[in-house]
Every structure is written in C-alpha cells, then in structure tokens.
C-alpha cells in the first residue's frame, strides 16, 4: 500500500484505486486533508461500500527529504500502525501499515490517522494502495492510485474550521496526535486542543504561543485543553514520550508471566497486534507467512517480483514478503514447490528463517552451541541443525524444559514474541 502527500497551504488529496485516470464510481478514494501550515494531514478512505477493510498498506513517494515523518492511528483500541521512512537523497518513501481487529469501514468510510512530514509538503510523484479483509485477503493486487489535490475549505460547520480570524498552527514530534478546533478563530473565541498519545506514550509537553508569549491552557481532562484566542496567530506545539509503566490491554497476558515483557515489546513496537481488543492469544500458533511478513517489514518492505511457490498466489498479504524472502535466500520452501504460508511455523523453521534474515543483514551468524544437553536434540531436522545451534547460542531459542528443545513443536504467539524481541534487541540492532 502506498500513500502520497502533497504540498499546498491546505491539503485535500483524493486518490482512487485503479488507473491514474479517473477512478470508477465504486473504487475506494483516499482523502488527505490538513490545515494550512499545520505540517500534518488527516487520512481517510471513502467510497468503500460494504467491503470489509481490516488492514491497509500505503506507500508514499515524495520529492524532498522528510526523515522525521511520522504517523499516528489515533490510539483507538484494537487499531495498530507502523510507519517506515526511507529518506534517500532527494526523495522520501513513506510506507504505512494500518491493521485493525475490527473492520475500519464504517458506513463506507475508514478514518486511518494523521500523517506528519515534519516539514513543508511536496507534490506526490507516485502512490499505491492495497486493502485486506479480516482473513487477510486482498480484493485485488497492489494498485497504483491517482492523485487529485483540492482546497481544504469546508462547505459546512462540521469541520471545526473557520474561514476568518487568526490561524492556529499545530506541530508535534510523532508518537501521538495534537489537533486544534477551530483552526482559525476570532479574538476572544475559545479554541480546544486535543492531545492523543500513541499506545505506550504520554503527553510530555504542550504549549500555545502567540507573538513570543505563552498562553494559559485550561486542562479539561481526557487530553483536552482550551485557551482564549488572542488578536494574532497561535503556534501550538506538543510532544510525547514513552510511558514505560503503561499496562497491556490484554486480559490473557498476566503481569509477571515469562512472556509479558516480550508481548509488551512487540505490541508497543507494532510487530504484533492482539487477536481482539483485550486478547493476545499467547498459546495460538503463528504461521510461516506471518513471520516472513514481519521480517519483510523490518527490512523496509523492499519491492521484488513474484515467487515460484505454487501455493503463494499474487494477491495475499504475504505474497510480496515471501517473494522477497525467497529471492534473498531467507526462505527456500519445502523443496516440492510449496512454501506453506498458512502452516503453523515450527521452532526449528523459525530459527532457520531468522538466521537467513540475519545473514542478509550482514550480521555474524557463526556462533554455535552444543545441543546434546537436550534429550530430543536428535529430533532436530538436518536442514535446521546449524540454525538451531546458532539460535540457541545467541539466546533466541531456549529449551521448552531443562531437558527438551521441542524443535518440531509449533511456535506459539507467546514464543514468537519472545524470539522476536530477542532478535530485534540482540541480533538486528547489533
């Protein structure tokens, strides 16, 4: 999925699936709307009809460098997002992944969140979009979308914007959203600021300044603040910092349990979401396609052609990830033309795939340890033996007991969380 941001004083971008020409009447439309000079834009999908939309991937290619670009999904329960920014030379690629336990489509419209570039806007040069339903099925292959830009003015009063008065400009450093309503106001009017931190973060600073003078903010609770508009433009600035004491929302992940910290890590870093608003399902199996997709995202979702696996069609959520992994030697499949993307991944398979990714990233994968202390070491498949020895040596995979390794046992979501946390902190980041 690919998004593209556009520069104007006031942003309204309309992007339609299909050809760059005008979209068909039943094609989804992407609206990006931002206040004049605000540095951020609201993303909304419209014209969805009754289709189910649970995951969205967008990629924006912009001329110019925006290394501080960030995205916030608004912190809604059961909704998760990840923003990948690649600012290379005179071009920036922003890839957004938005996932939701419940359908994002509400009456034909899906509110995605807020994109902040951290600088002025530039005309988009290309855009692509893919939407998935709850079963992670795509209604079509990844499609280039056309871009249309218009005015940010509103024909009604529901937008909270006024065409007269002094401007209220808002900036924030990511990890949350800050909005002001109205974004233009006359002297003496009340302006409301709403601050919404991302999961795992808290509001650490909020100021409203006019002519170098800081205005008094009235805390109304629940992230809402008000101030009285002076006779000049106002600059609102917000900042969010990590909240290490934030609790997980999952009722099936008890504090103190061996995988709690790992689940908190993958949840806060958008690697794994819950299976429901309050459930993580730690004992549920993880599929091979899911693991490869996570690694593909960690790699920045590089483009690649289709794979040769007979059971990996071109329109599934894992299709590009599996093709990339196969092309780069991260996976090789079962040897009979199949990859088995929906098969539960085993512990030894995960070790092999993680080793392949580490090798691709240029990491040292020469470490080895003796597995003979485990009574079932002989059950490790020959193809995975060296990978298991490496994974055990670097602490990614431990025994399921003091004497058992269970190499062909299914990897659960809890185990995957622990392994991914260790992999990110001790292997990829080294």
């Amino acid at each position: 999925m690919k998004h593209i941001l556009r520069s104007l004083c006031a942003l309204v971008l309309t992007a339609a699936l299909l050809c760059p020409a005008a979209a068909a009447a039943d094609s989804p439309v992407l609206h990006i709307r931002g206040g004049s000079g605000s540095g951020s834009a609201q993303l909304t999908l419209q014209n969805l009809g009754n289709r189910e939309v649970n995951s969205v991937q967008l990629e924006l290619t912009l001329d110019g460098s925006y290394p501080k670009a960030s995205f916030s999904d608004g912190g809604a329960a059961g909704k998760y997002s990840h923003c990948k920014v690649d600012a290379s030379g005179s071009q920036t690629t922003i890839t957004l992944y938005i996932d939701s336990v419940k359908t994002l489509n509400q009456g034909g419209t899906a509110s995605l969140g807020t994109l902040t570039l951290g600088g002025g806007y530039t005309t988009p040069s290309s855009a692509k979009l893919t939407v998935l339903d709850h079963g992670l099925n795509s209604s079509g292959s990844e499609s280039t979308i056309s871009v249309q830009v218009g005015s940010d003015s509103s024909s009604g009063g529901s937008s909270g914007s006024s065409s007269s008065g002094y401007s209220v400009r808002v900036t924030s450093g990511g990890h949350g959203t800050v909005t002001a309503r109205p974004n233009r106001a006359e002297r003496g009017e009340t302006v409301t600021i709403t601050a919404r931190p991302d999961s795992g973060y808290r509001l650490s600073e909020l100021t409203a300044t006019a002519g170098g003078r800081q205005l008094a903010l009235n805390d109304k609770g629940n992230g809402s603040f008000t101030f009285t508009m002076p006779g000049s433009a106002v600059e609102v600035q917000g900042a969010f910092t990590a909240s290490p004491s934030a609790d997980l929302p999952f009722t099936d992940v008890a504090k103190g349990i061996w995988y709690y910290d790992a689940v908190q890590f993958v949840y806060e870093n958008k690697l794994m979401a819950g299976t429901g608003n309050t459930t993580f399902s730690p004992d549920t199996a993880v599929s091979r396609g899911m693991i490869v997709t996570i690694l593909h995202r960690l790699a920045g979702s590089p483009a690649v052609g289709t794979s040769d696996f007979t059971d990996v069609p071109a329109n599934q959520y894992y299709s590009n990830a599996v093709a990339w992994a196969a092309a780069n030697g991260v996976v090789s499949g079962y040897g009979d033309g199949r990859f088995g993307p929906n098969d539960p991944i085993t512990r030894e398979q995960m070790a092999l795939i993680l080793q392949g990714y580490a090798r691709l990233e240029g990491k040292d994968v020469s470490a080895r340890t003796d597995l003979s202390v485990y009574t079932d070491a002989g059950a490790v498949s020959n193809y995975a033996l060296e990978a298991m020895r490496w994974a055990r040596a670097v602490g990614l995979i431990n025994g399921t007991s003091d004497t058992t390794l269970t190499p062909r046992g299914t990897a659960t979501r809890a185990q995957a969380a622990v392994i991914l946390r260790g992999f990110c902190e001790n292997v990829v980041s080294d």
Side-chain angles (χ1 to χ4, degrees):
M1 313 175 179
K2 295 185 174 186
H3 295 289
I4 301 246
L5 240 274
R6 169 104 183 193
S7 96
L8 276 190
C9 286
L11 255 209
V12 179
L13 176 150
T14 303
L17 290 171
L18 304 177
C19 298
D26 60 349
S27 298
V29 174
L30 174 68
H31 287 276
I32 299 183
R33 184 184 299 269
S36 175
S38 68
S40 62
Q42 302 294 320
L43 278 57
T44 304
L45 282 176
Q46 296 184 349
N47 201 27
L48 295 173
N50 60 359
R51 73 179 63 190
E52 185 180 18
V53 178
N54 286 85
S55 297
V56 174
Q57 176 181 304
L58 305 108
E59 184 181 289
L60 302 92
T61 302
L62 302 94
D63 294 330
S65 180
Y66 300 95
K68 295 182 179 180
S70 62
F71 178 77
S72 171
D73 57 28
K79 187 177 177 184
Y80 310 89
S81 62
H82 178 68
C83 177
K84 181 71 175 179
V85 179
D86 181 15
S88 178
S90 60
Q91 191 173 76
T92 300
T93 299
I94 302 174
T95 305
L96 303 177
Y97 306 94
I98 305 165
D99 303 299
S100 178
V101 173
K102 298 180 179 179
T103 181
L104 295 168
N105 186 1
Q106 302 295 323
T109 299
S111 178
L112 302 181
T114 303
L115 179 63
T116 302
L117 290 185
Y121 290 105
T122 187
T123 303
S125 58
S126 67
K128 290 184 180 179
L129 170 67
T130 300
V131 295
L132 306 175
D133 62 18
H134 189 65
L136 298 178
N137 297 307
S138 172
S139 59
S141 59
E142 184 178 68
S143 303
T144 299
I145 56 179
S146 62
V147 176
Q148 300 173 355
V149 178
S151 167
D152 192 38
S153 61
S154 173
S155 59
S158 61
S159 68
S161 174
S162 172
S163 59
S164 62
Y166 302 99
S167 66
V168 181
R169 291 175 289 186
V170 180
T171 58
S172 64
H175 304 302
T177 59
V178 178
T179 58
R181 294 292 182 271
N183 58 25
R184 298 188 71 87
E186 299 286 356
R187 181 173 183 174
E189 284 189 55
T190 297
V191 177
T192 299
I193 304 172
T194 303
R196 292 284 182 263
D198 290 346
S199 177
Y201 290 83
R202 60 180 177 82
L203 180 68
S204 59
E205 182 180 358
L206 184 66
T207 60
T209 306
R213 178 175 62 89
Q214 189 164 313
L215 306 179
L217 297 179
N218 301 310
D219 189 348
K220 298 299 183 179
N222 197 29
S224 293
F225 302 82
T226 62
F227 67 86
T228 301
M229 193 70 185
S232 62
V234 174
E235 296 279 349
V236 175
Q237 291 186 323
F240 301 91
T241 58
S243 179
S245 61
D247 291 331
L248 289 171
F250 308 127
T251 59
D252 56 356
V253 181
K255 271 193 171 182
I257 200 165
W258 60 274
Y259 51 79
Y260 182 91
D261 291 342
V263 171
Q264 187 169 43
F265 176 89
V266 297
Y267 175 72
E268 292 179 352
N269 286 277
K270 316 298 183 183
L271 295 180
M272 296 178 70
T275 54
N277 289 341
T278 59
T279 57
F280 183 78
S281 302
D283 297 323
T284 300
V286 180
S287 74
R288 289 163 55 83
M290 290 177 185
I291 293 299
V292 172
T293 298
I294 290 174
L295 296 181
H296 185 230
R297 291 180 176 181
L298 284 176
S301 299
V304 73
T306 59
S307 72
D308 294 327
F309 295 121
T310 59
D311 59 351
V312 179
N315 62 347
Q316 301 300 307
Y317 80 96
Y318 49 75
S319 301
N320 290 340
V322 173
W324 160 81
N328 288 279
V330 178
V331 300
S332 58
Y334 290 145
D336 60 354
R338 297 180 303 116
F339 176 71
N342 297 314
D343 294 348
I345 195 168
T346 64
R347 287 159 55 83
E348 64 180 15
Q349 289 171 358
M350 183 176 288
L352 185 65
I353 291 174
L354 291 179
Q355 185 187 45
Y357 180 87
R359 185 183 291 111
L360 177 65
E361 290 293 300
K363 305 301 180 181
D364 182 4
V365 294
S366 62
R368 297 291 186 273
T369 193
D370 184 9
L371 301 180
S372 62
V373 294
Y374 299 105
T375 58
D376 59 352
V380 178
S381 300
N382 289 334
Y383 72 82
L385 180 58
E386 294 305 308
M388 285 292 283
R389 293 182 61 198
W390 165 78
R392 182 65 191 90
V394 297
L396 293 182
I397 292 189
N398 298 311
T400 52
S401 73
D402 291 339
T403 59
T404 56
L405 192 58
T406 320
R408 302 188 188 185
T410 298
T412 65
R413 286 172 56 82
Q415 292 169 342
V418 172
I419 293 171
L420 286 169
R421 179 195 183 192
F423 186 70
C424 290
E425 292 183 338
N426 303 323
V427 178
V428 175
S429 63
D430 287 345

